[in-house]
Amino acid sequence: MPENLSSQLEEYLPPPVLALAKIAGKEGSELGQELYLVGGVVRDLFLGRANFDLDLVVEGDAIKLAQELTKNSRAKLTVHTRFGTAKLNYPGFSLDLATARSEIYSKPGALPTVKPGSLKDDLIRRDFSINAMALCLTPNRFGALIDLYHGKDDLDNRLIRILHPNSFIDDATRILRAIRYEQRLGFKLEAETEKLLRRDVAMFDTISGDRIRHELELILKEDKPELVLWRAGELGVLRQLHPLLKGNGWLSQKFEQTRQVDIRVSLSTIYLCLLIYNLTEKGNEKFISRLNFPKNSAQAMRQTLHLKAQLHKLTNPQLKHSDIYQSLHSYTTTAIQANALASESPIASQHLQLYLTKLRYVKTLLSGEDLKRMGISAGPRIGEILSALHKARLNGEVRTWKEEEKFVRTWRH
Ligand code: ATP
Ligand code: MG
């Protein structure tokens, strides 16, 4: 008799999600299709970690079942006919339905050829034993555990194990995934898996930039990405992405520090800028093109290094606020924030921080319109006066409306 987890499932899933899983199982059974909950959610149920990203696999036709399910609900349905998958969006959670499939890898790193298959086929194509368990949702077997690769034992022994020796060759993104789960869960790579991982690191060269970048983005979304990067460094994986990337103590310290300051920009972009901080501009360009970073991230990374090369201008403790403003106003907040965290000069860091928290918000009280009202004729002169006024304001030389007016009157002569 397979282990039955119906009571754990009832406790783990929030009531509306549970109700839906049951309805889906029933609808499936009426269509003669077995339905299973698979992947991360089964793993996380055992671990007692929240995860309501439901992945369902149907032995049959996922799209047909998804259409049945939407008939009597307000769910929004998105269908990918080519992949035989459907996504149902409910208020507050979503459900991914896939037709069970088998995969054949024609060559390393290529996307596999896919055809409909059984649950067993669908499980063997997965990355690790702990992600290859399924729970049946069909009413007469509700909660039955299907664990063909002893994922439950590996969870108990806290191990990340691939399903067959060619797994990393078929898809080297699994190398990064293995390390990500290992560090997220505080597990260990199973000994043979670690050996094969070390053997196959060079297989990264078969993976497209987009796919590697996607995995890096997932790493940077973890609670402690530095652990993953440190381990990737130790296993020789980072070197494979770029010869000079390091997941060392410096990086860990900076990542931790990043989480302690109140940053107003995306955390993962700052992490990324810290990751490339010790590359040369040329090395950075290579990394950007290898991973095919989109414009925004590439700009943040480039500006970070550009500003780093200018930081010597900010190490003088006597700098006026207007000088700091002048040096920094053309940079993105991300580049400035990354440098504030990474700079070796405490004075430069203070200046960068001052810019981020105060100087960038400084505005003159008077506007161009006010200047015109004061009798200054439209033209470039207005811009010059406003810019001088802004400088004076940054340096605390004018504070009130009256002082600004006085400043303008003296300046015009
Ligand atoms: P997470 O908590 O990180 O989202 P997850 O297990 O839900 O974990 P997903 O990336 O959402 O991970 O993928 C869902 C499932 O698809 C995984 O559990 C795994 O079984 C399978 N999977 C994902 N990527 C791969 C891959 N590269 N090779 C094989 N199987 C994969
Ligand atoms: Mg997931």
Side-chain angles (χ1 to χ4, degrees):
M1 261 310 262
E3 196 175 344
N4 190 291
L5 286 134
S6 56
S7 55
Q8 284 92 325
L9 205 49
E10 309 237 355
E11 252 176 58
Y12 177 71
L13 295 179
V17 183
L18 178 70
L20 190 73
K22 286 188 167 171
I23 293 171
K26 197 158 157 279
E27 293 274 0
S29 133
E30 279 162 18
L31 293 169
Q33 307 183 355
E34 299 274 323
L35 183 68
Y36 300 90
L37 196 56
V38 294
V41 66
V42 182
R43 174 198 71 215
D44 288 340
L45 175 143
F46 280 119
L47 293 171
R49 294 170 70 103
N51 180 349
F52 306 116
D53 235 352
L54 295 202
D55 282 316
L56 301 182
V57 164
V58 196
E59 280 180 324
D61 182 346
I63 296 177
K64 200 158 150 206
L65 176 57
Q67 283 163 344
E68 279 306 311
L69 277 173
T70 32
K71 272 188 188 157
N72 300 315
S73 79
R74 285 186 300 133
K76 212 179 119 252
L77 174 66
T78 321
V79 167
H80 296 282
T81 321
R82 223 183 104 213
F83 300 110
T85 62
K87 193 179 185 79
L88 288 163
N89 279 302
Y90 292 86
F93 65 97
S94 68
L95 216 157
D96 281 297
L97 267 166
T99 305
R101 63 198 206 192
S102 70
E103 286 183 349
I104 300 164
Y105 287 85
S106 51
K107 63 175 199 265
L111 288 176
T113 320
V114 175
K115 59 181 191 1
S118 62
L119 175 74
K120 194 173 163 202
D121 294 326
D122 200 274
L123 295 179
I124 197 173
R125 71 182 179 84
R126 292 178 182 262
D127 46 7
F128 312 114
S129 63
I130 61 165
N131 285 346
M133 292 181 278
L135 284 177
C136 190
L137 296 179
T138 308
N140 59 1
R141 290 170 60 212
F142 187 82
L145 174 70
I146 293 91
D147 182 12
L148 305 175
Y149 304 99
H150 308 290
K152 179 66 171 57
D153 289 343
D154 285 338
L155 273 183
D156 291 341
N157 296 316
R158 309 174 74 78
L159 292 173
I160 307 293
R161 183 196 304 268
I162 45 176
L163 305 189
H164 59 86
N166 278 350
S167 185
F168 292 129
I169 299 179
D170 284 348
D171 179 355
T173 62
R174 291 171 187 163
I175 292 178
L176 288 175
R177 296 178 64 83
I179 304 174
R180 180 159 62 86
Y181 289 118
E182 184 198 45
Q183 296 303 313
R184 178 203 290 177
L185 303 174
F187 281 22
K188 285 286 330 132
L189 296 175
E190 174 277 326
E192 188 62 18
T193 296
E194 180 171 338
K195 214 166 94 194
L196 294 168
L197 185 151
R198 289 181 188 271
R199 182 195 72 183
D200 294 336
V201 270
M203 297 311 287
F204 265 118
D205 295 349
T206 65
I207 307 290
S208 73
D210 286 339
R211 294 191 66 215
I212 300 183
R213 193 190 65 250
H214 177 64
E215 289 301 329
L216 178 62
E217 285 162 358
L218 292 178
I219 290 174
L220 297 179
K221 281 191 196 139
E222 291 288 320
D223 287 345
K224 292 191 169 179
E226 65 272 23
L227 298 180
V228 185
L229 294 171
W230 167 80
R231 182 75 161 130
E234 187 192 63
L235 289 164
V237 177
L238 274 189
R239 214 172 35 235
Q240 206 63 40
L241 300 185
H242 190 291
L244 297 177
L245 280 185
K246 294 210 168 58
N248 53 15
W250 181 88
L251 197 72
S252 297
Q253 192 199 342
K254 295 301 168 189
F255 274 33
E256 263 176 45
Q257 227 174 305
T258 306
R259 291 192 294 273
Q260 279 154 23
V261 295
D262 171 26
I263 59 164
R264 306 274 164 101
V265 289
S266 131
L267 191 59
S268 32
T269 317
I270 293 281
Y271 286 151
L272 186 62
C273 294
L274 292 170
L275 179 65
I276 56 95
Y277 199 74
N278 293 310
L279 297 186
T280 59
E281 292 200 12
K282 210 165 141 202
N284 187 37
E285 287 309 316
K286 255 186 145 164
F287 187 57
I288 289 173
S289 64
R290 173 66 180 103
L291 269 66
N292 194 24
F293 279 102
K295 236 164 127 190
N296 279 353
S297 324
Q299 191 201 18
M301 292 153 83
R302 286 190 183 112
Q303 281 208 6
T304 297
L305 293 191
H306 192 269
L307 177 57
K308 180 188 176 191
Q310 306 294 318
L311 280 187
H312 58 275
K313 295 183 187 160
L314 290 168
T315 52
N316 174 358
Q318 314 298 340
L319 277 184
K320 286 187 178 171
H321 288 184
S322 59
D323 295 328
I324 300 174
Y325 185 90
Q326 190 56 33
S327 304
L328 295 178
H329 77 276
S330 61
Y331 287 98
T332 59
T333 319
T334 307
I336 299 172
Q337 185 71 73
N339 275 279
L341 288 156
S343 161
E344 291 195 342
S345 150
I347 309 246
S349 281
Q350 272 170 27
H351 286 155
L352 292 159
Q353 212 53 52
L354 178 69
Y355 177 86
L356 287 174
T357 52
K358 294 221 170 76
L359 304 185
R360 70 178 163 133
Y361 300 115
V362 170
K363 299 268 178 309
T364 58
L365 299 176
L366 295 184
S367 67
E369 287 308 308
D370 296 318
L371 264 58
K372 278 190 224 161
R373 221 172 295 124
M374 290 173 69
I376 297 159
S377 45
R381 188 93 179 118
I382 298 232
E384 279 165 35
I385 300 178
L386 278 178
S387 144
L389 184 59
H390 184 234
K391 227 169 156 180
R393 188 156 192 97
L394 281 163
N395 294 334
E397 291 155 20
V398 293
R399 291 173 196 280
T400 62
W401 182 282
K402 280 212 153 26
E403 282 171 4
E404 286 204 4
E405 282 186 337
K406 190 170 158 214
F407 179 92
V408 171
R409 276 195 293 273
T410 15
W411 213 86
R412 63 195 292 192
H413 296 302

PDB file of all heavy atoms in Angstrom, residues 176 180 209-222 225 229 268-269 271-272 275 291-294 297:
ATOM      1  N   LEU A 176      22.939  24.597 -11.264  1.00  0.00           N
ATOM      2  CA  LEU A 176      22.606  25.754 -10.421  1.00  0.00           C
ATOM      3  C   LEU A 176      21.403  25.462  -9.537  1.00  0.00           C
ATOM      4  O   LEU A 176      21.342  25.876  -8.385  1.00  0.00           O
ATOM      5  CB  LEU A 176      22.341  26.992 -11.289  1.00  0.00           C
ATOM      6  CG  LEU A 176      23.583  27.600 -11.947  1.00  0.00           C
ATOM      7  CD1 LEU A 176      23.190  28.745 -12.877  1.00  0.00           C
ATOM      8  CD2 LEU A 176      24.580  28.098 -10.903  1.00  0.00           C
ATOM      9  N   ARG A 180      21.128  25.641  -5.502  1.00  0.00           N
ATOM     10  CA  ARG A 180      20.128  26.543  -4.929  1.00  0.00           C
ATOM     11  C   ARG A 180      19.274  25.816  -3.875  1.00  0.00           C
ATOM     12  O   ARG A 180      19.065  26.306  -2.774  1.00  0.00           O
ATOM     13  CB  ARG A 180      19.239  27.092  -6.051  1.00  0.00           C
ATOM     14  CG  ARG A 180      18.164  28.043  -5.601  1.00  0.00           C
ATOM     15  CD  ARG A 180      17.680  28.911  -6.749  1.00  0.00           C
ATOM     16  NE  ARG A 180      17.075  28.150  -7.823  1.00  0.00           N
ATOM     17  CZ  ARG A 180      15.790  27.785  -7.858  1.00  0.00           C
ATOM     18  NH1 ARG A 180      14.978  28.119  -6.871  1.00  0.00           N
ATOM     19  NH2 ARG A 180      15.322  27.100  -8.887  1.00  0.00           N
ATOM     20  N   GLY A 209      22.396  31.772 -22.916  1.00  0.00           N
ATOM     21  CA  GLY A 209      22.510  32.852 -21.938  1.00  0.00           C
ATOM     22  C   GLY A 209      21.205  33.078 -21.197  1.00  0.00           C
ATOM     23  O   GLY A 209      21.189  33.251 -19.979  1.00  0.00           O
ATOM     24  N   ASP A 210      20.095  33.063 -21.932  1.00  0.00           N
ATOM     25  CA  ASP A 210      18.795  33.325 -21.306  1.00  0.00           C
ATOM     26  C   ASP A 210      18.485  32.315 -20.203  1.00  0.00           C
ATOM     27  O   ASP A 210      17.964  32.671 -19.155  1.00  0.00           O
ATOM     28  CB  ASP A 210      17.670  33.274 -22.352  1.00  0.00           C
ATOM     29  CG  ASP A 210      17.689  34.511 -23.239  1.00  0.00           C
ATOM     30  OD1 ASP A 210      18.253  35.536 -22.822  1.00  0.00           O
ATOM     31  OD2 ASP A 210      17.146  34.436 -24.358  1.00  0.00           O
ATOM     32  N   ARG A 211      18.793  31.061 -20.468  1.00  0.00           N
ATOM     33  CA  ARG A 211      18.464  30.031 -19.469  1.00  0.00           C
ATOM     34  C   ARG A 211      19.373  30.148 -18.240  1.00  0.00           C
ATOM     35  O   ARG A 211      18.921  29.978 -17.109  1.00  0.00           O
ATOM     36  CB  ARG A 211      18.552  28.633 -20.078  1.00  0.00           C
ATOM     37  CG  ARG A 211      17.477  28.415 -21.150  1.00  0.00           C
ATOM     38  CD  ARG A 211      17.390  26.968 -21.567  1.00  0.00           C
ATOM     39  NE  ARG A 211      16.929  26.114 -20.490  1.00  0.00           N
ATOM     40  CZ  ARG A 211      17.354  24.858 -20.302  1.00  0.00           C
ATOM     41  NH1 ARG A 211      18.261  24.329 -21.102  1.00  0.00           N
ATOM     42  NH2 ARG A 211      16.880  24.151 -19.311  1.00  0.00           N
ATOM     43  N   ILE A 212      20.656  30.453 -18.468  1.00  0.00           N
ATOM     44  CA  ILE A 212      21.546  30.619 -17.312  1.00  0.00           C
ATOM     45  C   ILE A 212      21.114  31.840 -16.504  1.00  0.00           C
ATOM     46  O   ILE A 212      21.055  31.816 -15.277  1.00  0.00           O
ATOM     47  CB  ILE A 212      23.016  30.795 -17.745  1.00  0.00           C
ATOM     48  CG1 ILE A 212      23.480  29.568 -18.526  1.00  0.00           C
ATOM     49  CG2 ILE A 212      23.915  31.031 -16.540  1.00  0.00           C
ATOM     50  CD1 ILE A 212      24.932  29.602 -18.934  1.00  0.00           C
ATOM     51  N   ARG A 213      20.775  32.920 -17.223  1.00  0.00           N
ATOM     52  CA  ARG A 213      20.362  34.133 -16.520  1.00  0.00           C
ATOM     53  C   ARG A 213      19.112  33.880 -15.675  1.00  0.00           C
ATOM     54  O   ARG A 213      19.017  34.317 -14.538  1.00  0.00           O
ATOM     55  CB  ARG A 213      20.104  35.263 -17.523  1.00  0.00           C
ATOM     56  CG  ARG A 213      19.970  36.626 -16.825  1.00  0.00           C
ATOM     57  CD  ARG A 213      19.493  37.702 -17.751  1.00  0.00           C
ATOM     58  NE  ARG A 213      18.142  37.446 -18.211  1.00  0.00           N
ATOM     59  CZ  ARG A 213      17.804  37.113 -19.440  1.00  0.00           C
ATOM     60  NH1 ARG A 213      18.734  37.020 -20.390  1.00  0.00           N
ATOM     61  NH2 ARG A 213      16.555  36.877 -19.761  1.00  0.00           N
ATOM     62  N   HIS A 214      18.191  33.133 -16.246  1.00  0.00           N
ATOM     63  CA  HIS A 214      16.976  32.824 -15.495  1.00  0.00           C
ATOM     64  C   HIS A 214      17.319  32.121 -14.169  1.00  0.00           C
ATOM     65  O   HIS A 214      16.770  32.450 -13.117  1.00  0.00           O
ATOM     66  CB  HIS A 214      16.046  31.970 -16.352  1.00  0.00           C
ATOM     67  CG  HIS A 214      14.803  31.542 -15.644  1.00  0.00           C
ATOM     68  ND1 HIS A 214      13.862  32.447 -15.215  1.00  0.00           N
ATOM     69  CD2 HIS A 214      14.367  30.319 -15.236  1.00  0.00           C
ATOM     70  CE1 HIS A 214      12.888  31.801 -14.593  1.00  0.00           C
ATOM     71  NE2 HIS A 214      13.173  30.510 -14.587  1.00  0.00           N
ATOM     72  N   GLU A 215      18.236  31.165 -14.229  1.00  0.00           N
ATOM     73  CA  GLU A 215      18.624  30.460 -13.002  1.00  0.00           C
ATOM     74  C   GLU A 215      19.339  31.398 -12.027  1.00  0.00           C
ATOM     75  O   GLU A 215      19.146  31.315 -10.817  1.00  0.00           O
ATOM     76  CB  GLU A 215      19.514  29.251 -13.306  1.00  0.00           C
ATOM     77  CG  GLU A 215      18.782  28.094 -13.980  1.00  0.00           C
ATOM     78  CD  GLU A 215      17.611  27.537 -13.147  1.00  0.00           C
ATOM     79  OE1 GLU A 215      17.677  27.571 -11.903  1.00  0.00           O
ATOM     80  OE2 GLU A 215      16.619  27.074 -13.744  1.00  0.00           O
ATOM     81  N   LEU A 216      20.165  32.306 -12.567  1.00  0.00           N
ATOM     82  CA  LEU A 216      20.849  33.273 -11.697  1.00  0.00           C
ATOM     83  C   LEU A 216      19.818  34.181 -11.022  1.00  0.00           C
ATOM     84  O   LEU A 216      19.902  34.482  -9.828  1.00  0.00           O
ATOM     85  CB  LEU A 216      21.863  34.096 -12.499  1.00  0.00           C
ATOM     86  CG  LEU A 216      22.619  35.169 -11.713  1.00  0.00           C
ATOM     87  CD1 LEU A 216      23.468  34.549 -10.599  1.00  0.00           C
ATOM     88  CD2 LEU A 216      23.527  36.003 -12.627  1.00  0.00           C
ATOM     89  N   GLU A 217      18.804  34.582 -11.788  1.00  0.00           N
ATOM     90  CA  GLU A 217      17.754  35.425 -11.204  1.00  0.00           C
ATOM     91  C   GLU A 217      17.037  34.690 -10.067  1.00  0.00           C
ATOM     92  O   GLU A 217      16.719  35.280  -9.038  1.00  0.00           O
ATOM     93  CB  GLU A 217      16.744  35.847 -12.283  1.00  0.00           C
ATOM     94  CG  GLU A 217      17.304  36.941 -13.192  1.00  0.00           C
ATOM     95  CD  GLU A 217      16.534  37.081 -14.523  1.00  0.00           C
ATOM     96  OE1 GLU A 217      15.580  36.309 -14.781  1.00  0.00           O
ATOM     97  OE2 GLU A 217      16.921  37.976 -15.300  1.00  0.00           O
ATOM     98  N   LEU A 218      16.800  33.394 -10.267  1.00  0.00           N
ATOM     99  CA  LEU A 218      16.156  32.620  -9.198  1.00  0.00           C
ATOM    100  C   LEU A 218      17.054  32.565  -7.968  1.00  0.00           C
ATOM    101  O   LEU A 218      16.588  32.650  -6.826  1.00  0.00           O
ATOM    102  CB  LEU A 218      15.827  31.201  -9.680  1.00  0.00           C
ATOM    103  CG  LEU A 218      14.733  31.083 -10.747  1.00  0.00           C
ATOM    104  CD1 LEU A 218      14.548  29.626 -11.177  1.00  0.00           C
ATOM    105  CD2 LEU A 218      13.399  31.633 -10.232  1.00  0.00           C
ATOM    106  N   ILE A 219      18.358  32.440  -8.195  1.00  0.00           N
ATOM    107  CA  ILE A 219      19.297  32.422  -7.060  1.00  0.00           C
ATOM    108  C   ILE A 219      19.218  33.747  -6.307  1.00  0.00           C
ATOM    109  O   ILE A 219      19.142  33.782  -5.079  1.00  0.00           O
ATOM    110  CB  ILE A 219      20.740  32.179  -7.560  1.00  0.00           C
ATOM    111  CG1 ILE A 219      20.875  30.742  -8.069  1.00  0.00           C
ATOM    112  CG2 ILE A 219      21.767  32.478  -6.455  1.00  0.00           C
ATOM    113  CD1 ILE A 219      22.198  30.432  -8.726  1.00  0.00           C
ATOM    114  N   LEU A 220      19.188  34.841  -7.058  1.00  0.00           N
ATOM    115  CA  LEU A 220      19.199  36.157  -6.417  1.00  0.00           C
ATOM    116  C   LEU A 220      17.880  36.474  -5.709  1.00  0.00           C
ATOM    117  O   LEU A 220      17.792  37.430  -4.962  1.00  0.00           O
ATOM    118  CB  LEU A 220      19.559  37.247  -7.432  1.00  0.00           C
ATOM    119  CG  LEU A 220      20.966  37.117  -8.030  1.00  0.00           C
ATOM    120  CD1 LEU A 220      21.239  38.224  -9.037  1.00  0.00           C
ATOM    121  CD2 LEU A 220      22.049  37.121  -6.945  1.00  0.00           C
ATOM    122  N   LYS A 221      16.859  35.665  -5.960  1.00  0.00           N
ATOM    123  CA  LYS A 221      15.591  35.852  -5.235  1.00  0.00           C
ATOM    124  C   LYS A 221      15.533  35.037  -3.947  1.00  0.00           C
ATOM    125  O   LYS A 221      14.565  35.115  -3.194  1.00  0.00           O
ATOM    126  CB  LYS A 221      14.418  35.430  -6.127  1.00  0.00           C
ATOM    127  CG  LYS A 221      14.053  36.488  -7.134  1.00  0.00           C
ATOM    128  CD  LYS A 221      12.729  36.152  -7.792  1.00  0.00           C
ATOM    129  CE  LYS A 221      12.538  36.962  -9.043  1.00  0.00           C
ATOM    130  NZ  LYS A 221      11.964  36.168 -10.135  1.00  0.00           N
ATOM    131  N   GLU A 222      16.518  34.197  -3.711  1.00  0.00           N
ATOM    132  CA  GLU A 222      16.532  33.403  -2.478  1.00  0.00           C
ATOM    133  C   GLU A 222      16.727  34.323  -1.271  1.00  0.00           C
ATOM    134  O   GLU A 222      17.215  35.444  -1.413  1.00  0.00           O
ATOM    135  CB  GLU A 222      17.701  32.392  -2.535  1.00  0.00           C
ATOM    136  CG  GLU A 222      17.510  31.292  -3.557  1.00  0.00           C
ATOM    137  CD  GLU A 222      16.437  30.277  -3.161  1.00  0.00           C
ATOM    138  OE1 GLU A 222      16.365  29.917  -1.975  1.00  0.00           O
ATOM    139  OE2 GLU A 222      15.655  29.856  -4.038  1.00  0.00           O
ATOM    140  N   PRO A 225      21.086  34.576  -1.030  1.00  0.00           N
ATOM    141  CA  PRO A 225      21.746  34.157  -2.271  1.00  0.00           C
ATOM    142  C   PRO A 225      23.249  33.970  -2.101  1.00  0.00           C
ATOM    143  O   PRO A 225      23.864  33.201  -2.835  1.00  0.00           O
ATOM    144  CB  PRO A 225      21.484  35.320  -3.234  1.00  0.00           C
ATOM    145  CG  PRO A 225      20.667  36.301  -2.524  1.00  0.00           C
ATOM    146  CD  PRO A 225      20.466  35.893  -1.124  1.00  0.00           C
ATOM    147  N   LEU A 229      25.914  31.375  -3.969  1.00  0.00           N
ATOM    148  CA  LEU A 229      27.049  31.839  -4.770  1.00  0.00           C
ATOM    149  C   LEU A 229      28.374  31.347  -4.185  1.00  0.00           C
ATOM    150  O   LEU A 229      29.294  30.981  -4.914  1.00  0.00           O
ATOM    151  CB  LEU A 229      27.037  33.369  -4.874  1.00  0.00           C
ATOM    152  CG  LEU A 229      25.838  33.911  -5.656  1.00  0.00           C
ATOM    153  CD1 LEU A 229      25.762  35.426  -5.550  1.00  0.00           C
ATOM    154  CD2 LEU A 229      25.904  33.494  -7.124  1.00  0.00           C
ATOM    155  N   SER A 268      17.453  42.343  -6.041  1.00  0.00           N
ATOM    156  CA  SER A 268      18.259  41.449  -6.874  1.00  0.00           C
ATOM    157  C   SER A 268      19.150  42.210  -7.847  1.00  0.00           C
ATOM    158  O   SER A 268      20.220  41.723  -8.199  1.00  0.00           O
ATOM    159  CB  SER A 268      17.422  40.387  -7.585  1.00  0.00           C
ATOM    160  OG  SER A 268      16.163  40.838  -7.889  1.00  0.00           O
ATOM    161  N   THR A 269      18.743  43.414  -8.256  1.00  0.00           N
ATOM    162  CA  THR A 269      19.638  44.183  -9.137  1.00  0.00           C
ATOM    163  C   THR A 269      20.867  44.660  -8.355  1.00  0.00           C
ATOM    164  O   THR A 269      21.980  44.665  -8.880  1.00  0.00           O
ATOM    165  CB  THR A 269      18.906  45.377  -9.781  1.00  0.00           C
ATOM    166  OG1 THR A 269      17.622  44.946 -10.196  1.00  0.00           O
ATOM    167  CG2 THR A 269      19.672  45.911 -10.966  1.00  0.00           C
ATOM    168  N   TYR A 271      22.202  43.083  -5.789  1.00  0.00           N
ATOM    169  CA  TYR A 271      23.035  41.883  -5.664  1.00  0.00           C
ATOM    170  C   TYR A 271      23.862  41.669  -6.927  1.00  0.00           C
ATOM    171  O   TYR A 271      25.043  41.356  -6.875  1.00  0.00           O
ATOM    172  CB  TYR A 271      22.157  40.645  -5.458  1.00  0.00           C
ATOM    173  CG  TYR A 271      21.521  40.474  -4.098  1.00  0.00           C
ATOM    174  CD1 TYR A 271      20.312  39.799  -3.973  1.00  0.00           C
ATOM    175  CD2 TYR A 271      22.126  40.935  -2.936  1.00  0.00           C
ATOM    176  CE1 TYR A 271      19.714  39.586  -2.741  1.00  0.00           C
ATOM    177  CE2 TYR A 271      21.531  40.731  -1.692  1.00  0.00           C
ATOM    178  CZ  TYR A 271      20.330  40.060  -1.602  1.00  0.00           C
ATOM    179  OH  TYR A 271      19.745  39.842  -0.378  1.00  0.00           O
ATOM    180  N   LEU A 272      23.205  41.827  -8.053  1.00  0.00           N
ATOM    181  CA  LEU A 272      23.876  41.602  -9.331  1.00  0.00           C
ATOM    182  C   LEU A 272      25.047  42.579  -9.495  1.00  0.00           C
ATOM    183  O   LEU A 272      26.144  42.196  -9.906  1.00  0.00           O
ATOM    184  CB  LEU A 272      22.841  41.802 -10.444  1.00  0.00           C
ATOM    185  CG  LEU A 272      23.265  41.486 -11.849  1.00  0.00           C
ATOM    186  CD1 LEU A 272      23.638  40.022 -11.974  1.00  0.00           C
ATOM    187  CD2 LEU A 272      22.113  41.810 -12.823  1.00  0.00           C
ATOM    188  N   LEU A 275      27.813  41.493  -7.369  1.00  0.00           N
ATOM    189  CA  LEU A 275      28.460  40.290  -7.921  1.00  0.00           C
ATOM    190  C   LEU A 275      29.520  40.648  -8.953  1.00  0.00           C
ATOM    191  O   LEU A 275      30.585  40.045  -9.000  1.00  0.00           O
ATOM    192  CB  LEU A 275      27.387  39.373  -8.537  1.00  0.00           C
ATOM    193  CG  LEU A 275      27.884  38.078  -9.176  1.00  0.00           C
ATOM    194  CD1 LEU A 275      28.500  37.149  -8.127  1.00  0.00           C
ATOM    195  CD2 LEU A 275      26.744  37.347  -9.893  1.00  0.00           C
ATOM    196  N   LEU A 291      25.265  36.233 -20.715  1.00  0.00           N
ATOM    197  CA  LEU A 291      23.973  35.953 -20.079  1.00  0.00           C
ATOM    198  C   LEU A 291      22.830  36.756 -20.691  1.00  0.00           C
ATOM    199  O   LEU A 291      21.691  36.669 -20.239  1.00  0.00           O
ATOM    200  CB  LEU A 291      24.038  36.183 -18.558  1.00  0.00           C
ATOM    201  CG  LEU A 291      24.430  34.936 -17.752  1.00  0.00           C
ATOM    202  CD1 LEU A 291      25.850  34.502 -18.030  1.00  0.00           C
ATOM    203  CD2 LEU A 291      24.234  35.143 -16.271  1.00  0.00           C
ATOM    204  N   ASN A 292      23.159  37.540 -21.711  1.00  0.00           N
ATOM    205  CA  ASN A 292      22.136  38.287 -22.438  1.00  0.00           C
ATOM    206  C   ASN A 292      21.234  39.103 -21.511  1.00  0.00           C
ATOM    207  O   ASN A 292      20.007  38.993 -21.569  1.00  0.00           O
ATOM    208  CB  ASN A 292      21.312  37.280 -23.262  1.00  0.00           C
ATOM    209  CG  ASN A 292      20.463  37.970 -24.302  1.00  0.00           C
ATOM    210  OD1 ASN A 292      20.787  39.103 -24.718  1.00  0.00           O
ATOM    211  ND2 ASN A 292      19.392  37.345 -24.722  1.00  0.00           N
ATOM    212  N   PHE A 293      21.856  39.892 -20.645  1.00  0.00           N
ATOM    213  CA  PHE A 293      21.080  40.694 -19.690  1.00  0.00           C
ATOM    214  C   PHE A 293      20.235  41.722 -20.419  1.00  0.00           C
ATOM    215  O   PHE A 293      20.683  42.320 -21.389  1.00  0.00           O
ATOM    216  CB  PHE A 293      22.019  41.408 -18.703  1.00  0.00           C
ATOM    217  CG  PHE A 293      22.474  40.521 -17.593  1.00  0.00           C
ATOM    218  CD1 PHE A 293      23.736  39.965 -17.614  1.00  0.00           C
ATOM    219  CD2 PHE A 293      21.626  40.221 -16.538  1.00  0.00           C
ATOM    220  CE1 PHE A 293      24.158  39.137 -16.595  1.00  0.00           C
ATOM    221  CE2 PHE A 293      22.036  39.382 -15.510  1.00  0.00           C
ATOM    222  CZ  PHE A 293      23.312  38.848 -15.541  1.00  0.00           C
ATOM    223  N   PRO A 294      19.017  41.962 -19.944  1.00  0.00           N
ATOM    224  CA  PRO A 294      18.197  43.003 -20.564  1.00  0.00           C
ATOM    225  C   PRO A 294      18.796  44.379 -20.271  1.00  0.00           C
ATOM    226  O   PRO A 294      19.629  44.534 -19.375  1.00  0.00           O
ATOM    227  CB  PRO A 294      16.843  42.853 -19.880  1.00  0.00           C
ATOM    228  CG  PRO A 294      17.121  42.153 -18.604  1.00  0.00           C
ATOM    229  CD  PRO A 294      18.339  41.317 -18.816  1.00  0.00           C
ATOM    230  N   SER A 297      19.169  45.931 -16.505  1.00  0.00           N
ATOM    231  CA  SER A 297      20.203  45.356 -15.650  1.00  0.00           C
ATOM    232  C   SER A 297      21.577  45.696 -16.198  1.00  0.00           C
ATOM    233  O   SER A 297      22.485  46.046 -15.445  1.00  0.00           O
ATOM    234  CB  SER A 297      20.091  43.833 -15.556  1.00  0.00           C
ATOM    235  OG  SER A 297      18.782  43.420 -15.555  1.00  0.00           O
TER     236      SER A 297
END
